[in-house]
Amino acid sequence: MTEELIIAGFGGQGVLSMGKILAYSGIMQDQEVSWMPSYGPEMRGGTANVTVIVSDERVSSPVLNEFDSAIILNQQSMDKFEEQVKPGGVLLYDPNGIINPPTRKDINIYTIEGSKLSREMGNTKTFNMIVFGAYLKIKPVVKLENVVLGLKKSLNERYHHLIPLNEDAIKMGQENVVSILEL
Amino acid sequence: MAEVKLMKGNEAFAEAAIRVGADAYFGYPITPQSEVIEYLMTAQPHLTTGMVVLQAESEVAAINMVYGAAGAGKKVLTSSSSPGISLKLEGISYMAGAELPAVILNVVRGGPGLGTIQPSQADYFQAVKGGGHGDYKMLVLAPSSVQEMADFVEDAFDAAFKYRNPVMILSDGVIGQMMEKVIFKEQKDRWTEKELIEINGSWATTGKTPDRERNVITSLDLDSHKMELHNHKLQAKYKQMEEEEVRYEEFMCDDADYIMVAYGSSARIAQKTLNKARAKGIKVGLLRPITLFPYPTKVIHKYTERGVKGFLSVEMSAGQMVEDVRLAVNGKAKVEHFGRNGGIIPSPTEVLDALENQIIK
């Protein structure tokens, strides 16, 4: 199994930390991982993206131009990465702020109302974990118990009391993912 | 078993520097390697191992602090990225001349000039062919994973003290910024003053005792005959490095008709290209030089004797390492370069296209 994923959105949405939690979760189940962030001018312009690879084998290139899955959280990233999803791959996005939805017919497309649901949960910081939950529902590359272990590893201990909230957010995402196009 | 950590390459380098028992780090922040000094400042090793971590007022100051500490026989490191390394070159040449051991990390970004903060490999010539003035060489190690960013710190110190010569770890923005699994070795103690004198007392400025002559650290000798002899001594060291220190890794080279040559992050990209090419039935291999000086010239030459038809050098530059591949191949097969410049990272499919169009066609 090899999963090549791009997560792309605005800085502050938790894009990089979502990737880090996935990478840590992969380590918890003894897989090979890589996490490669954008750190260049696009980051300074407000957008952020990270390429995460989780694999049973040694990871070759940490930098890719085609992906098994894409999690898209703003229009700029949709414009850039929709075409980089491999045919038959997965595109998951939050419709909030997306003016031009994806048009491809050769990929599986899903939505998750992450922004709306995080407001309903009363804590907008749960946004990235809701989206992550939706992704895990579509692509269960890591087990939930390993995600919890991954959270423990990637979060500072003083935030460990928030882990149950993160678990709730993941479940919220798993329950609310909407299928737009399934091949 | 040692704990598996998820870390950036820059952070792994910094943690390894503490664990290897280094005495000091002097540096100045610059993207994409600022995590090195950030990590060291946060870790505060002066409270545990006693390692000194200092942000100097400039790169020039930092390399001269390294010169001073190395002259006293200490294990000392510095790190920077391309424009900062240019500033350090005078000091590096002086250290090569004065035969001082030190470890220097370059997390290369696009140039020339201030260039860009994105990854590049355009400092190959600077690292391998000199950079600073005079006939000197550095042993150059090129990590292609976060684990190697950690492991090469100890390897670099071993070579630096074996040869009394600066050693460069030539990395790039991809390897510095990416996170991967890394396992560290156990914490080593720093040398005690007594151990340091035992190991380096024959040359380092450890304090003169009545039973020996002064140890003098200098790169200057106005007597040209003496300076020529000194140059011969340096060249003999570089020759010994060529005989004893060549390191490389081969992927599917045994039956290959074509070979890609790539180091650092380009080698990772080329691995992906290799998988794609093999799936199409193209018999291609990958040679990853781990030491860039000394270069695996003999290995490449052997491929030509075996009848390899073509070589593609893949680097994030306009074509620098390709010159060393050409020298090794010596006209016996086709050699081409593929690369991107200015901070653009080539994709595995682009490299495959280059292989098919520039080499195989």
Side-chain angles (χ1 to χ4, degrees), chain A residues 4 20 23-24 27 31-37 39-40 44 58-66 153, chain B residues 3 6 8 32 117-119 173-174 177-181 249 251 268-269 271-272 276 345 347 349:
Chain A
E4 298 173 336
K20 193 172 166 184
Y24 258 123
I27 289 178
Q31 284 171 306
E32 299 302 320
V33 299
S34 75
W35 177 97
M36 179 69 207
Y39 68 91
R44 281 146 172 85
R58 176 170 159 170
V59 174
S60 57
S61 178
V63 184
L64 301 166
N65 63 333
E66 46 184 13
K153 279 287 219 176
Chain B
E3 192 190 355
L6 182 71
K8 288 192 172 194
I117 60 174
Q118 296 284 70
V174 174
Q177 289 295 325
M178 73 187 286
M179 286 204 285
E180 282 186 318
K181 282 190 200 180
E249 188 177 16
F251 301 87
R268 297 287 294 267
I269 294 158
Q271 274 172 51
K272 186 94 183 168
K276 284 173 182 282
I345 306 165
S347 70
T349 39

Side-chain angles (χ1 to χ4, degrees), chain B residues 157-225:
Chain B
F157 269 121
D158 287 348
F161 279 91
K162 177 178 173 185
Y163 293 98
R164 276 181 59 197
N165 202 66
V167 172
M168 176 164 279
I169 298 178
L170 190 71
S171 184
D172 62 64
V174 174
I175 306 296
Q177 289 295 325
M178 73 187 286
M179 286 204 285
E180 282 186 318
K181 282 190 200 180
V182 56
I183 297 170
F184 291 99
K185 293 182 182 164
E186 292 293 306
Q187 176 70 51
K188 284 190 173 176
D189 291 332
R190 285 173 52 236
W191 288 329
T192 62
E193 283 302 307
K194 191 165 165 276
E195 285 168 335
L196 190 146
I197 289 167
E198 275 168 19
I199 298 164
N200 301 322
S202 63
W203 57 269
T205 51
T206 52
K208 187 189 171 312
T209 47
D211 57 332
R212 68 161 169 85
E213 290 292 304
R214 264 196 180 81
N215 287 338
V216 179
I217 304 289
T218 182
S219 62
L220 175 74
D221 200 322
L222 293 177
D223 181 339
S224 291
H225 295 291

Side-chain angles (χ1 to χ4, degrees), chain B residues 344-360:
Chain B
I344 300 287
I345 306 165
S347 70
T349 39
E350 272 180 298
V351 178
L352 182 59
D353 288 346
L355 184 71
E356 292 185 304
N357 297 323
Q358 290 174 238
I359 298 291
I360 298 173

Side-chain angles (χ1 to χ4, degrees), chain A residues 6 11 21 32 64-65 68 114 119 153 166 169 178 180 182:
Chain A
I6 181 122
I21 290 159
E32 299 302 320
L64 301 166
N65 63 333
D68 297 316
R119 281 195 302 276
K153 279 287 219 176
N166 280 285
V178 177
I180 305 292
E182 272 185 345

Side-chain angles (χ1 to χ4, degrees), chain B residues 32-151:
Chain B
Q33 64 81 58
S34 295
E35 291 85 1
V36 174
I37 195 165
E38 286 167 9
Y39 186 95
L40 288 170
M41 287 289 181
T42 309
Q44 296 187 295
H46 64 277
L47 298 175
T48 50
T49 70
M51 176 186 180
V52 171
V53 179
L54 187 84
Q55 179 175 329
E57 66 268 39
S58 72
E59 287 88 348
V60 176
I63 195 71
N64 284 291
M65 290 172 183
V66 170
Y67 184 105
K74 302 283 186 185
K75 270 189 188 172
V76 55
L77 318 91
T78 187
S79 66
S80 191
S81 179
S82 310
I85 294 290
S86 290
L87 290 168
K88 289 180 198 281
L89 282 174
E90 181 196 48
I92 292 171
S93 169
Y94 276 52
M95 291 177 75
E99 296 190 85
L100 293 179
V103 175
I104 301 151
L105 169 69
N106 184 359
V107 183
V108 181
R109 59 189 247 181
L114 271 182
T116 172
I117 60 174
Q118 296 284 70
S120 169
Q121 295 179 312
D123 296 358
Y124 179 89
F125 282 154
Q126 188 198 54
V128 171
K129 308 290 178 186
H133 58 279
D135 266 333
Y136 80 91
K137 296 273 186 195
M138 279 186 287
L139 194 135
V140 181
L141 288 163
S144 79
S145 65
V146 171
Q147 184 66 52
E148 285 186 343
M149 281 289 273
D151 292 345

Side-chain angles (χ1 to χ4, degrees), chain B residues 214-255:
Chain B
R214 264 196 180 81
N215 287 338
V216 179
I217 304 289
T218 182
S219 62
L220 175 74
D221 200 322
L222 293 177
D223 181 339
S224 291
H225 295 291
K226 280 192 192 163
M227 192 38 93
E228 187 179 42
L229 288 176
H230 180 60
N231 266 272
H232 289 167
K233 184 187 171 200
L234 296 180
Q235 293 302 320
K237 285 200 306 195
Y238 308 147
K239 184 88 186 150
Q240 190 190 346
M241 288 180 199
E242 285 178 334
E243 280 158 12
E244 295 178 17
E245 307 299 337
V246 175
R247 285 172 69 180
Y248 57 89
E249 188 177 16
E250 292 172 295
F251 301 87
M252 304 181 96
C253 288
D254 288 347
D255 68 337

Side-chain angles (χ1 to χ4, degrees), chain A residues 43-59:
Chain A
M43 188 180 94
R44 281 146 172 85
T47 70
N49 70 68
V50 62
T51 301
V52 182
I53 303 172
V54 180
S55 179
D56 297 330
E57 291 156 33
R58 176 170 159 170
V59 174

